[in-house]
Amino acid sequence: MADPSTFAATTAGEPAKTDNRWRPYRAVLASRLRSQRSYRTSFRFDMVGAMLAGLVQLGEIWVVFHNAKVLGGLDFNAILLVFGLANAAWAIAEVAVGHVDSLPALIRAGTVDVYYLRPQPLLAQLITGDIQLRRLARVAVGLICVVAALIVNPIQWTVATVVMLAFSLLFGTVIFACLFVTAAGLQFFLINGSEATNAFVYGGSYASQQPAAIWPGPMKIIFGFLFPMAFCAYLPALQILGLPGSPLLPAWLAWLLPVAAAWAVLAAGAVWRIGVRHYQGGGG
Amino acid sequence: MPSAIRPWFRLLRASFAAQTRYLPAALGGLIANLTFGFLKAAVLFATVRAAGGEVGGYDLATMSSYVWLSQALLGTVNLGADSDLADRVRTGDIAIDFARPLDVQTSYLAVDLGRSFFALGPRAIPLILLGALTTGIAFAPPAGVLLGLVAVALAAVLSFLGRYAVNILGLWLVETRGVRTLYMLVSSFLAGLFVPVPLFPDWLKMLANATPFPSLLQTPIDVLSGKVSGAAALLAVLWQVFWIVVVGAAGQLLTRRGRLKLEVQGG
């Protein structure tokens, strides 16, 4: 619960205003970090699990490329870069905001009412209410794949290459975070729809790992632009590898990554706000 | 209805009825299955084309059947790692279940099957129709489809028994989240959820076939679509029964052992 004096100090405009405003969030986050350090065995087990999860996903891609050497103009080395970038960005987003997927349970149990009563934005409370360090293992898998891909692929290193790598990791993370928030916003309507959320979020991750050139036109519109998944990793990887791309999704589009991320933020914000207003309370 | 099995039947019916209250959730799941279906179809069709029109015994038409049947069965054959039972084990509520006059494993099975059978309506049928209308689905002749439906029901039972065995490990581990996630990933991979098992390299195919997982998805799909037929189909279904006995017995054994160990705090 927020300390009432914090809220009072903020509204009164004390000198230490910003410091006080963030104090409740910091206190909650610090407690979550401390709690994870206490259960070391469980924590290690979770880390290994998360790492294996990343490897199983890579295994699936490897099996596909075991049957077809080149898909959508990319070979296994090239798809390794797409997979690494998509995985790292997705995993960072999951560490930062992934726990908003606890919302369906809160809505179903009616406990989300308490969040509405606190003097902090609902989304800010949910995001800062938890942070799962075990999910960092997934980030590591993604980054290792990126490094491996940068070594095995012939790459012309320029400033643009470095900027594109940073773009992909930064704005890719923003797009995935928006996916989590959009899915959470939909929960206010679906009630028991955690499966839909999972599929939404994992579906986005799955789409972002694919060589988008294989998609028929309507899919390029949906996963290229409506949900800008191709922008997270596929388009940046084309830029980095110096590959041309395909009609509707040419490689130069990668430079519009910030625009795609801005679109994702706007859409996620709208869905979330509509969801929060739609909620009628758990009764009782 | 013989009175001996009536409680289980009532649990199944109640669980089925509960699901009808969550239709928007079923719609959400349907849209998700559809989305994954198109993404899966894109990759696997591209793989068939890149391999010269045929790969692992699949051409475009049979691959299309695989994609849509696998998506259609996902609501019924749950490859996820649901946490309801795990939560009850962790919080100690499982003690209440043990106090009931019904066997814990089979009563949870009845509840799970209610959910599984319900999913056939809003999940499986629309996906099969949509798949048939978009990239097409080939079905086995009527006798094969009938056997296929038996395989689907057996897969639903096996999927529950596997998840139950993993969840009940909580009697020793308390927190099973890590194990459950791992189980979900490995089982769905080896069941042939993302890539059909015949496309695996030989060593991985052998590994997969030594586990119960292909019986969860690959078998019902193969029998329904007629990719496997005749004596081979019958054998595949018997193989499912074998795994149900093995995994079910493991679950019973774990429950009995764990129950002796269970200590619940509070009054």
Side-chain angles (χ1 to χ4, degrees):
Chain A
M1 271 303 203
D3 176 1
S5 66
T6 310
F7 192 57
T10 311
T11 44
E14 298 279 320
K17 185 172 153 184
T18 37
D19 187 47
N20 276 343
R21 190 186 303 153
W22 296 109
R23 203 171 63 194
Y25 299 114
R26 272 212 313 271
V28 172
L29 271 183
S31 79
R32 301 301 305 171
L33 291 177
R34 266 201 310 279
S35 77
Q36 287 168 56
R37 282 202 298 268
S38 335
Y39 295 99
R40 282 167 200 278
T41 321
S42 169
F43 183 73
R44 283 194 200 115
F45 204 81
D46 283 345
M47 290 282 269
V48 173
M51 201 167 275
L52 280 172
L55 291 178
V56 169
Q57 276 202 330
L58 184 61
E60 282 158 8
I61 293 175
W62 178 80
V63 170
V64 167
F65 278 83
H66 172 79
N67 288 280
K69 297 297 160 218
V70 178
L71 273 190
L74 302 186
D75 60 10
F76 184 73
N77 286 349
I79 204 79
L80 189 63
L81 182 60
V82 179
F83 174 83
L85 288 172
N87 237 262
W90 185 85
I92 300 170
E94 204 203 11
V95 171
V97 303
H99 36 274
V100 296
D101 68 5
S102 62
L103 187 65
L106 296 178
I107 292 176
R108 209 150 47 114
T111 38
V112 76
D113 291 14
V114 178
Y115 287 74
Y116 273 86
L117 294 174
R118 291 178 192 156
Q120 295 158 333
L122 188 55
L123 187 58
Q125 289 181 57
L126 279 174
I127 290 176
T128 57
D130 199 357
I131 185 161
Q132 293 293 339
L133 290 179
R134 66 197 159 84
R135 289 167 166 168
L136 284 173
R138 272 305 267 287
V139 181
V141 173
L143 291 179
I144 291 168
C145 288
V146 170
V147 172
L150 291 176
I151 294 169
V152 296
N153 285 293
I155 289 167
Q156 295 268 314
W157 283 97
T158 60
V159 178
T161 317
V162 179
V163 172
M164 190 43 72
L165 265 178
F167 258 36
S168 173
L169 288 174
L170 176 66
F171 293 112
T173 304
V174 171
I175 292 174
F176 283 123
C178 289
L179 214 56
F180 275 104
V181 173
T182 309
L186 291 176
Q187 288 305 323
F188 290 104
F189 299 93
L190 298 176
I191 311 300
N192 196 15
S194 59
E195 192 187 11
T197 306
N198 284 345
F200 202 82
V201 171
Y202 293 110
S205 152
Y206 185 50
S208 67
Q209 293 168 12
Q210 292 196 347
I214 62 171
W215 295 340
M219 280 178 69
K220 281 187 178 164
I221 306 282
I222 294 173
F223 299 109
F225 299 100
L226 184 60
F227 302 100
M229 304 330 297
F231 279 87
C232 295
Y234 170 71
L235 289 170
L238 289 182
Q239 268 300 332
I240 293 166
L241 299 171
L243 296 170
S246 61
L248 269 181
L249 290 171
W252 61 263
L253 264 185
W255 292 109
L256 296 183
L257 191 44
V259 180
W263 155 242
V265 171
L266 278 176
V271 171
W272 176 259
R273 269 195 298 276
I274 294 169
V276 168
R277 293 208 185 117
H278 171 81
Y279 183 67
Q280 305 263 316
Chain B
M1 180 66 41
S3 62
I5 62 161
R6 192 175 295 149
W8 284 272
F9 178 73
R10 291 224 167 119
L11 278 173
L12 194 152
R13 210 176 48 187
S15 153
F16 188 97
Q19 290 300 308
T20 60
R21 308 310 301 166
Y22 294 115
L23 269 180
L27 183 70
L30 173 66
I31 291 170
N33 288 160
L34 194 65
T35 309
F36 261 99
F38 281 119
L39 289 168
K40 227 155 93 171
V43 170
L44 292 174
F45 287 5
T47 310
V48 172
R49 289 200 189 98
E54 202 253 77
V55 65
Y58 287 94
D59 57 15
L60 280 180
T62 47
M63 193 58 99
S64 178
S65 305
Y66 159 81
V67 167
W68 292 113
L69 288 174
S70 66
Q71 292 307 103
L73 291 182
L74 269 186
T76 303
V77 179
N78 190 344
L79 294 172
D82 52 343
S83 58
D84 284 0
L85 180 61
D87 284 344
R88 289 185 76 78
V89 172
R90 194 165 48 82
T91 56
D93 287 345
I94 190 79
I96 300 168
D97 298 331
F98 281 135
R100 292 191 176 121
L102 279 183
D103 175 63
V104 174
Q105 187 193 33
T106 48
S107 57
Y108 271 87
L109 171 65
V111 172
D112 201 67
L113 286 181
R115 198 163 30 209
S116 287
F117 293 154
F118 175 76
L120 287 173
R123 300 279 289 276
I125 292 169
L127 275 165
I128 286 175
L129 288 177
L130 285 166
L133 288 174
T134 49
T135 52
I137 299 182
F139 275 106
V145 172
L146 219 59
L147 187 64
L149 290 176
V150 173
V152 171
L154 291 174
V157 173
L158 182 59
S159 114
F160 166 78
L161 292 173
R163 282 177 283 123
Y164 177 86
V166 172
N167 277 293
I168 209 72
L169 286 178
L171 293 174
W172 287 269
L173 300 173
V174 183
E175 177 57 270
T176 49
R177 190 184 49 215
V179 191
R180 279 186 285 125
T181 311
L182 197 60
Y183 177 79
M184 174 180 79
L185 286 158
V186 172
S187 69
S188 46
F189 182 26
L190 297 182
L193 175 59
F194 292 100
V195 185
V197 177
L199 261 63
F200 288 4
D202 286 336
W203 63 270
L204 195 58
K205 215 182 302 180
M206 262 164 54
L207 183 79
N209 285 329
T211 69
F213 305 126
S215 291
L216 291 176
L217 205 59
Q218 191 68 46
T219 302
I221 295 170
D222 283 350
V223 178
L224 273 177
S225 66
K227 190 169 191 295
V228 173
S229 58
L234 214 55
L235 203 66
V237 172
L238 285 175
W239 189 236
Q240 285 184 301
V241 175
F242 165 76
W243 280 117
I244 286 176
V245 172
V246 171
V247 180
Q252 275 294 337
L253 193 71
L254 286 169
T255 310
R256 284 181 195 170
R257 283 290 176 79
R259 197 173 170 166
L260 297 176
K261 214 189 140 290
L262 179 68
E263 253 178 67
V264 177
Q265 299 180 352

